[in-house]
Amino acid sequence: MSERLHQAPAVDTRSMVVDTLARYLALCDVPVRTEGELGDLFTEDAVWEGGGSEYAEKFGRTEGREAIVEMLSAYLPPTPHFRTNVHLLFPGTVDVKGVTARGSWPMQQLSRYESGAAEVVVAKLDVTFRIGPDRPRISAFRTERLFSAPLAGE
């Protein structure tokens, strides 16, 4: 029984890490279906980057909370980019060591753009979190496109 008690904090931390990532993705959906600020989910010195040749070229590397929020805002209302956009997070892995948690997840994104075009994207998310006194915050976020395909029109 004492072994289970020692595991409980790591399980709680894993759950909070997944909740933080899910909240981030929900705030990137269009229309946004939750309230909050993207900046609250990142550390001050966070890094956000595209991985693989396609996303490295498309997104590059952005450093710092304010710069990340500015970059992401270019894809979110009121900027006309998506008509609708939804992220689906699939089960992944989370490894907690001290005040750091690292996880990897497959994610599916279904998007309809302002142009009317639509696509499905499957990406791999590799995310590092810094565990703070109130909650985990994203300190490194990397996304790599694995698959994409156009979707039929409206």
Side-chain angles (χ1 to χ4, degrees):
M1 178 135 175
S2 64
E3 183 178 315
R4 293 183 86 194
L5 291 174
H6 291 290
Q7 291 175 353
V11 171
D12 290 344
T13 300
R14 284 184 185 95
S15 177
M16 291 188 313
V17 160
V18 173
D19 289 350
T20 298
L21 182 58
R23 182 161 184 70
Y24 162 76
L25 293 173
L27 287 169
C28 291
D29 287 347
V30 176
V32 173
R33 292 175 176 85
T34 189
E35 292 184 18
E37 296 292 328
L38 280 169
D40 291 342
L41 302 177
F42 290 91
T43 61
E44 283 289 333
D45 60 346
V47 174
W48 196 107
E49 63 184 328
S53 60
E54 187 174 353
Y55 272 11
E57 184 177 323
K58 181 176 181 176
F59 295 116
R61 178 182 169 99
T62 303
E63 298 181 18
R65 177 189 291 160
E66 287 183 29
I68 291 168
V69 171
E70 184 178 327
M71 181 272 295
L72 294 171
S73 295
Y75 297 95
L76 300 172
T79 304
H81 182 73
F82 294 114
R83 266 194 227 167
T84 57
N85 188 43
V86 65
H87 296 84
L88 306 172
L89 187 63
F90 292 88
T93 59
V94 178
D95 183 33
V96 179
K97 290 189 179 165
V99 296
T100 302
R102 287 186 175 84
S104 184
W105 294 265
M107 181 272 300
Q108 183 179 47
Q109 181 177 354
L110 299 136
S111 304
R112 179 161 315 279
Y113 300 94
E114 284 295 330
S115 67
E119 73 175 335
V120 58
V121 172
V122 175
K124 178 183 177 193
L125 305 180
D126 291 311
V127 188
T128 303
F129 299 82
R130 193 170 304 141
I131 312 303
D134 57 341
R135 69 171 171 239
R137 286 191 167 77
I138 299 168
S139 59
F141 183 97
R142 183 176 188 274
T143 179
E144 181 176 354
R145 182 182 283 220
L146 302 175
F147 169 83
S148 65
L151 295 174
E154 293 180 60

